[in-house]
Amino acid sequence: EVQLLESGGGLVQPGGSLRLSCAASGFTVSNYGMSWVRQAPGKGPEWVSRISRSGGSKNYADSVKGRFTISRDNSKNTLYVQMNSLRAEDTAVYYCVKDLDGYSYVGDFWGQGSLVTVSS
Amino acid sequence: EIVLTQSPATLSLSPGERATLSCRASQSVSSYLAWYQQKPGQAPRLLIYDASNRATGIPARFSGSGSGTDFTLTISSLEPEDFAVYYCQQRSNWPTFGQGTNLEIK
């Protein structure tokens, strides 16, 4: 059974940093494209970042480019996002999302989400 | 950025009725459009991808159609568990989502 378990969220001050983790089970993360998608309270989702199956391509939304870095550890079957220079508008639930096999940016499995709150 | 506009914002129907949800793109996305269902406190769930392909385990009462800029999600006969928020999402360019349609019980 595919499972995605996010961790690392919490309250952080503006300008601070946070790293989210997503531990995968039931499949191998290096066999799929993997993404982070966030959803601010009461809003629609927003695609934040994706790492390709090979790991050679990493893409980011303009809103986070230069501040967020996506990565993965194949040995731990875990996806990460390092978030720096956090702003109030980064406050959201962050979901780890697996690509549908063969379809980039189609999320067929989502984690339960990790809440990030940026506030002083 | 491709903007997706969903209509209506809220749709009030009864179980057993047919639901028709629309999604219009600000420019052509070919068939690169997906639909998701989201219930309160849960993550989105993939229903339809590439306009008309049902995801694994999705009941046949859900169907998608359209191409270019105009897309439709149809639920042929509403079940109680279908009342939720529905989002469309394009992947022609950097992926974006619509603002959602809230399907509520009448």
Side-chain angles (χ1 to χ4, degrees):
Chain A
E1 181 191 4
V2 170
Q3 290 193 354
L4 296 167
L5 186 62
E6 299 97 337
S7 61
L11 175 64
V12 60
Q13 292 189 337
S17 297
L18 214 53
R19 188 179 82 156
L20 302 183
S21 302
C22 170
S25 59
F27 74 103
T28 302
V29 293
S30 59
N31 287 342
Y32 296 88
M34 296 290 297
S35 297
W36 290 96
V37 177
R38 68 185 180 185
Q39 188 169 27
K43 303 291 187 181
E46 178 190 13
W47 216 287
V48 172
S49 182
R50 179 183 179 270
I51 184 169
S52 65
R53 175 178 173 177
S54 70
S57 177
K58 299 177 182 181
N59 298 98
Y60 301 91
D62 287 344
S63 57
V64 306
K65 205 170 290 183
R67 301 188 298 123
F68 288 16
T69 303
I70 193 170
S71 64
R72 72 181 185 219
D73 185 332
N74 294 341
S75 67
K76 295 182 178 179
N77 211 32
T78 298
L79 179 74
Y80 303 97
V81 63
Q82 176 68 42
M83 304 185 293
N84 298 331
S85 303
L86 284 162
R87 307 166 180 167
E89 54 265 34
D90 296 318
T91 294
V93 174
Y94 284 73
Y95 294 102
C96 170
V97 180
K98 170 189 166 292
D99 271 1
L100 177 66
D101 192 14
Y103 294 83
S104 304
Y105 299 103
V106 176
D108 71 337
F109 280 99
W110 297 56
Q112 87 291 346
S114 183
L115 177 62
V116 172
T117 303
V118 184
S119 175
S120 55
Chain B
E1 174 182 312
I2 295 177
V3 176
L4 298 179
T5 302
Q6 292 186 240
S7 61
T10 301
L11 184 58
S12 299
L13 294 171
S14 300
E17 290 192 293
R18 181 184 187 91
T20 303
L21 288 67
S22 295
C23 178
R24 176 165 288 178
S26 58
Q27 63 189 76
S28 176
V29 299
S30 185
S31 294
Y32 297 128
L33 190 106
W35 291 93
Y36 297 84
Q37 176 194 69
Q38 188 174 33
K39 297 180 179 179
Q42 296 184 15
R45 173 195 180 199
L46 178 67
L47 300 174
I48 301 287
Y49 63 97
D50 285 4
S52 60
N53 298 291
R54 262 190 312 276
T56 301
I58 301 304
R61 64 180 182 273
F62 290 91
S63 63
S65 64
S67 66
T69 60
D70 291 295
F71 299 86
T72 300
L73 174 70
T74 301
I75 310 171
S76 59
S77 179
L78 285 165
E79 297 288 340
E81 62 267 27
D82 297 338
F83 292 92
V85 178
Y86 291 82
Y87 293 100
C88 57
Q89 175 239 324
Q90 64 79 23
R91 64 186 188 102
S92 175
N93 277 358
W94 183 255
T96 54
F97 290 84
Q99 83 283 10
T101 289
N102 181 26
L103 177 57
E104 65 176 25
I105 299 177
K106 187 173 182 179

